[in-house]
Amino acid sequence: MIPQLFVEKIDLGDGRSITIETGRLAKQADGSVVVRMGDTMILATAVSARTSNPAVDFLPLTVDYREKFAAAGRFPGGFFKREARPSDSEVLTMRLVDRVLRPLFPDDYHAETQVMIQLMSHDEEVMPDALAGLAASAALAVSDIPFYNLISEVRVARIDGKFVINPSRTELEKSDIDMMIGASLDSVAMVEGEMKEISEAEMVEAIKFAHEAIKVQIQAQLRLQAAFGKKEIRTYEGEKENEEIYKKVKAAAYDKIYAIAKVGSAKHERSAAFAEVKEEVKALFTEEELAADGDLVSKYFYKTNKEAVRNVVLELGVRLDGRKTTDIRPIWCETDYLPRVHGSSLFTRGETQALATVTLGTSREANQIDSPSEQGEEKFYLHYNFPPFSTGEAKPLRGTSRREVGHGNLAQRALKNMIPADCPYTIRIVSEVLESNGSSSMATVCAGTMALMDAGVQMVKPVSGIAMGLITDGEKFAVLSDILGDEDHLGDMDFKVTGTADGITACQMDIKIDGLRYDIMEQALGQAREGRLHILGKLTETIAAPRADVKAHAPKIITRTIPGNFIGALIGPGGKVIQELQKATGTTIVINEVDEQGVIEILGTDPAGIEAVLAKIKSITFKPQMGEAYEVKVIKMLDFGAVVEYTAAPGNEVLLHVSELAWERTENVADVVNMGDVFEVKYLGVDPKTKKEKVSRKALLQRPPREEKKE
């Protein structure tokens, strides 16, 4: 028997709609839904363990998003023809959903929880990542998992001045805004995206527009939940609590922590001082008490620490390192630090340091994107590495983390629209985070800007970035510029904004509280603008403009376009011509066919080698014009003429027939020309009889007068 299906429809107001259904698929999961828009279908499931590990003091939540190649009617690439590790785009979608869901579970819920989202059918006109948050929340809505605040996510674009929700990929190409917004009914929880130098007011307007669409989607989830029959939320064992221990810890630690926090100190000095207070607190308990409740002592010490530090900021306006709320840490920068890379820079802000390198290449080095929902390539991309020594830790390396993928993507989006459209290079930036205490991703943006200019990439405008924080008790609030790592952990917001002097290019915001007011968001954006302009000034003091040219040891790239019918001649049989040419000139030559034209990229460090390639291309594509005169050189003598080569196009040969040498009858070719002779000939086009090109020497000579016949 087919089970009962429950369906809710969301009208987007422009003829498009989204449906959410439950009751048919994956019924053994705690909650499951199918979300459909056009022919794109996503299955989302939510499962949570019935018991939790008492030793775990956090929510072990896993959000997984996967795109099945079968969804697009395609085979996976590679030898095994099976989906393997998630792509960067899948990881980024996981992060988008995780960042909104995680803060909305109960603080004391620690059961293993897994939300799995799968793309099962793909419509090229529907971008599936914009539906993943809706699907995840809806799956939780029809489950009994403790999750009280439903959410959704949408993409917002602005096309010809008009905001659009969940545009197609084609529409997105025309937009100056590409933002993903996640929110509950009451407040915005997450923002991430890229923009083409928009103002702070325009950004807030886009967020508000998206939030209204999200409210409609949450109402649909509530209707589905009611129709399906809202399940009674499961009971669970919360965290162990002991009010007496909390009071004892707070009484012993609060004033001491407050005193340390208001003085202002460096990270290691401050950490050592807090650790000393913690040891003093632990000394108030017996070994037996610590064995039984040591975890509570640590928990309450952290809670007290958080409260004291936050109160110092709210009451005194003083931060952990002694700065005021709007102060930026000291900055020093350096370019051309690494002698043999194509471009490099060091950016240091306080206790955060990033070393960026730029590598220039041809289109052959473009980053290939091959996923069920997107195919193409990136000619500009950025990789971000966060080694454990950057925070003074020793940890095993287990490949690129989700965090590294996400931070690298944010920095890439911040910079990519400032790469000129006519830049011939493929560009790779690598950011090595060497020290970290507060927004290494924004340090990456700043270091990346300087490294690009050091490499001679003619950036449209330089870009800087800043991370903003927030501390609020519901009434009073403080917006913090250039946050520390501790302020990120103890605060209520992490808001990263990048931009030029003229507008915002990218942003990423995570809110850890309910009900962020728009006036606070607007103040944060205004304060962020002041901060990033200050940082931008430091960058341009170090390097005011891009270098006029690439460095001597960096490859120069020259592009040429030739008619498509000459591509084969340049490549040669089995690639012989192009391979020998690359070997002889020390260059790399890449040929791409675009619109029946051959686009040739010549990459090399030796100008003479590049010129030799250009000469060869000119030779191969040389096409003489009817009636024009050209200089030639004799390269071969034959009984019936001479083979000549155009001096302007070496290797381009044509037969000069004996009958076209001179007006007088020529019995012996050598009587008129010899090997190595240089002279001009006239191009006569293609002989209709022989179908071969024809040139003439005599046509450029004065014709002798005819002799009169004797009677």
Side-chain angles (χ1 to χ4, degrees):
M1 184 180 72
I2 299 176
Q4 184 179 359
L5 188 64
F6 300 87
V7 181
E8 279 297 328
K9 184 176 181 180
I10 301 165
D11 187 354
L12 295 180
D14 56 4
R16 298 175 302 152
S17 63
I18 302 171
T19 59
I20 319 172
E21 65 177 54
T22 190
R24 178 177 292 178
L25 303 185
K27 295 190 298 300
Q28 293 194 48
D30 292 328
S32 69
V33 298
V34 173
V35 171
R36 178 170 183 167
M37 181 175 173
D39 286 340
T40 287
M41 297 177 68
I42 290 178
L43 169 66
T45 59
V47 176
S48 189
R50 296 288 168 176
T51 58
S52 59
N53 184 345
V56 173
D57 61 352
F58 62 93
L59 173 64
L61 170 67
T62 302
V63 175
D64 195 83
Y65 171 80
R66 300 299 175 103
E67 296 184 351
K68 306 299 182 179
F69 275 85
R74 298 180 57 221
F75 287 90
F79 184 78
F80 293 106
K81 301 300 177 191
R82 180 169 184 156
E83 289 86 355
R85 64 175 296 276
S87 66
D88 282 0
S89 64
E90 289 171 313
V91 168
L92 293 170
T93 303
M94 296 175 198
R95 282 175 52 84
L96 286 174
V97 178
D98 186 297
R99 284 158 45 201
V100 186
L101 292 185
R102 188 174 294 273
L104 300 180
F105 286 87
D107 291 339
D108 60 349
Y109 186 66
H110 300 155
E112 184 84 28
T113 304
Q114 188 175 52
V115 177
M116 296 190 67
I117 311 158
Q118 303 178 53
L119 175 65
M120 308 303 289
S121 176
H122 177 54
D123 182 338
E124 292 183 358
E125 292 302 308
V126 178
M127 298 179 71
D129 58 344
L131 304 174
L134 168 62
S137 178
L140 289 164
V142 296
S143 76
D144 65 342
I145 299 171
F147 183 77
Y148 306 120
N149 209 351
L150 301 182
I151 61 96
S152 190
E153 293 178 351
V154 298
R155 171 177 274 108
V156 62
R158 187 172 64 178
I159 303 168
D160 298 327
K162 182 181 179 182
F163 290 120
V164 178
I165 294 296
N166 293 355
S168 67
R169 197 175 298 279
T170 304
E171 290 175 320
L172 196 59
E173 291 173 358
K174 307 171 190 173
S175 175
D176 62 349
I177 295 175
D178 176 9
M179 291 171 59
M180 290 285 288
I181 289 90
S184 65
L185 275 174
D186 302 321
S187 63
V188 174
M190 184 278 299
V191 177
E192 179 160 335
E194 64 184 74
M195 309 88 183
K196 295 180 180 176
E197 296 184 285
I198 68 170
S199 69
E200 286 74 14
E202 289 172 312
M203 181 173 163
V204 172
E205 187 182 359
I207 293 171
K208 288 179 177 178
F209 181 82
H211 195 189
E212 292 305 311
I214 286 171
K215 291 176 183 178
V216 174
Q217 296 187 4
I218 294 173
Q219 292 293 347
Q221 294 179 58
L222 292 170
R223 293 195 303 271
L224 181 71
Q225 189 183 61
F228 183 67
K230 178 172 171 55
K231 296 180 180 178
E232 183 178 347
I233 299 301
R234 70 180 64 171
T235 57
Y236 62 92
E237 185 178 351
E239 293 180 354
K240 183 171 64 172
E241 300 289 351
N242 188 311
E243 187 66 20
E244 292 301 317
I245 294 177
Y246 172 57
K247 289 178 180 179
K248 186 174 181 179
V249 170
K250 185 174 182 179
Y254 183 89
D255 290 341
K256 293 178 180 179
I257 294 171
Y258 195 98
I260 295 169
K262 73 178 183 180
V263 170
S265 56
K267 178 181 177 181
H268 292 296
E269 179 186 341
R270 184 170 62 248
S271 297
F274 285 154
E276 186 176 336
V277 175
K278 185 175 181 179
E279 289 302 314
E280 291 174 4
V281 169
K282 289 170 67 176
L284 300 175
F285 297 87
T286 66
E287 290 187 9
E288 291 77 12
E289 288 174 328
L290 288 175
D293 296 312
D295 55 338
L296 286 178
V297 173
S298 295
K299 171 183 169 180
Y300 293 144
F301 180 82
Y302 173 79
K303 183 177 179 180
T304 302
N305 183 295
K306 180 176 180 179
E307 183 181 355
V309 170
R310 289 166 63 91
N311 285 342
V312 167
V313 176
L314 291 173
E315 294 167 6
L316 305 179
V318 176
R319 299 162 66 177
L320 285 168
D321 58 358
R323 285 181 292 152
K324 296 178 181 178
T325 57
T326 58
D327 288 347
I328 310 297
R329 287 171 289 177
I331 293 170
W332 65 267
C333 313
E334 183 178 342
T335 59
D336 200 21
Y337 178 71
L338 301 174
R340 293 303 297 177
V341 302
H342 299 164
S344 65
S345 75
L346 266 172
F347 176 84
T348 307
R349 183 195 61 237
E351 297 169 301
T352 297
Q353 184 178 73
L355 170 63
T357 59
V358 167
T359 307
L360 306 175
T362 67
S363 59
R364 188 179 293 167
E365 281 72 51
N367 186 35
Q368 301 299 316
I369 300 172
D370 182 27
S371 69
S373 62
E374 183 181 4
Q375 296 84 49
E377 62 180 28
E378 293 175 325
K379 287 194 68 179
F380 172 75
Y381 49 100
L382 186 151
H383 293 147
Y384 164 102
N385 296 317
F386 191 86
F389 67 75
S390 65
T391 54
E393 298 174 283
K395 294 180 180 178
L397 299 176
R398 306 203 184 280
T400 306
S401 68
R402 291 187 180 187
R403 180 183 181 277
E404 287 171 307
V405 172
H407 280 35
N409 179 68
L410 175 61
Q412 177 176 322
R413 299 178 87 175
L415 295 168
K416 77 174 190 179
N417 286 319
M418 291 299 111
I419 305 299
D422 59 354
C423 178
Y425 293 100
T426 290
I427 303 170
R428 180 188 184 226
I429 297 179
V430 178
S431 173
E432 304 289 350
V433 178
L434 307 181
E435 298 178 38
S436 181
N437 183 16
S439 197
S440 52
S441 63
M442 296 298 93
T444 293
V445 171
C446 298
T449 288
M450 293 188 294
L452 285 166
M453 294 198 288
D454 180 54
V457 176
Q458 301 304 304
M459 289 187 75
V460 179
K461 297 171 190 173
V463 180
S464 64
I466 189 170
M468 309 297 294
L470 172 71
I471 291 177
T472 179
D473 61 4
E475 296 181 5
K476 293 182 292 184
F477 71 90
V479 175
L480 312 179
S481 296
D482 179 25
I483 58 173
L484 299 168
D486 286 344
E487 290 172 335
D488 184 5
H489 297 312
L490 301 174
D492 301 316
M493 177 180 75
D494 179 11
F495 195 174
K496 301 180 178 74
V497 188
T498 73
T500 67
D502 298 319
I504 299 170
T505 59
C507 73
Q508 184 182 91
M509 179 177 73
D510 293 311
I511 306 298
K512 305 170 188 177
I513 57 171
D514 289 335
L516 177 69
R517 304 198 313 259
Y518 279 104
D519 63 320
I520 297 178
M521 188 186 300
E522 289 167 356
Q523 178 176 325
L525 280 167
Q527 198 168 312
R529 185 176 188 278
E530 294 175 6
R532 62 182 171 80
L533 289 178
H534 167 78
I535 296 169
L536 190 61
K538 298 293 183 181
L539 305 187
T540 52
E541 283 176 16
T542 305
I543 180 166
R547 298 185 187 278
D549 200 358
V550 299
K551 297 181 181 179
H553 60 271
K556 288 78 181 170
I557 190 166
I558 302 293
T559 60
R560 289 290 185 271
T561 301
I562 64 173
N565 57 312
F566 286 105
I567 294 175
L570 181 56
I571 294 174
K576 182 179 180 181
V577 173
I578 195 170
Q579 289 171 9
E580 290 181 352
L581 187 59
Q582 290 181 114
K583 185 176 180 181
T585 60
T587 60
T588 299
I589 305 170
V590 178
I591 304 175
N592 296 306
E593 187 170 359
V594 181
D595 297 329
E596 299 183 356
Q597 297 282 308
V599 179
I600 306 168
E601 300 172 15
I602 309 154
L603 192 81
T605 56
D606 181 9
I610 294 175
E611 286 300 321
V613 176
L614 292 173
K616 181 67 173 177
I617 294 171
K618 185 176 180 180
S619 170
I620 290 174
T621 60
F622 177 75
K623 191 172 182 62
Q625 301 298 310
M626 174 72 79
E628 295 292 324
Y630 298 95
E631 186 180 78
V632 297
K633 180 180 179 180
V634 178
I635 61 171
K636 187 182 292 185
M637 300 288 287
L638 303 172
D639 292 339
F640 50 86
V643 178
V644 296
E645 178 184 70
Y646 294 99
T647 57
N652 210 310
E653 305 168 1
V654 65
L655 174 65
L656 174 59
H657 194 267
V658 67
S659 64
E660 297 295 336
L661 286 171
W663 287 106
E664 298 84 6
R665 181 178 176 82
T666 304
E667 298 292 343
N668 186 359
V669 176
D671 291 342
V672 182
V673 298
N674 289 292
M675 281 288 291
D677 284 355
V678 177
F679 49 85
E680 287 193 333
V681 297
K682 186 176 183 178
Y683 183 71
L684 302 178
V686 178
D687 190 314
K689 292 182 180 179
T690 64
K691 305 300 183 186
K692 294 183 179 179
E693 291 184 318
K694 185 177 180 180
V695 294
S696 174
R697 177 177 177 272
K698 72 179 185 182
L700 297 176
L701 302 175
Q702 186 175 355
R703 184 170 185 166
R706 292 185 179 182
E707 295 183 6
E708 294 184 4
K709 292 183 180 180
K710 295 182 179 180
E711 293 289 340

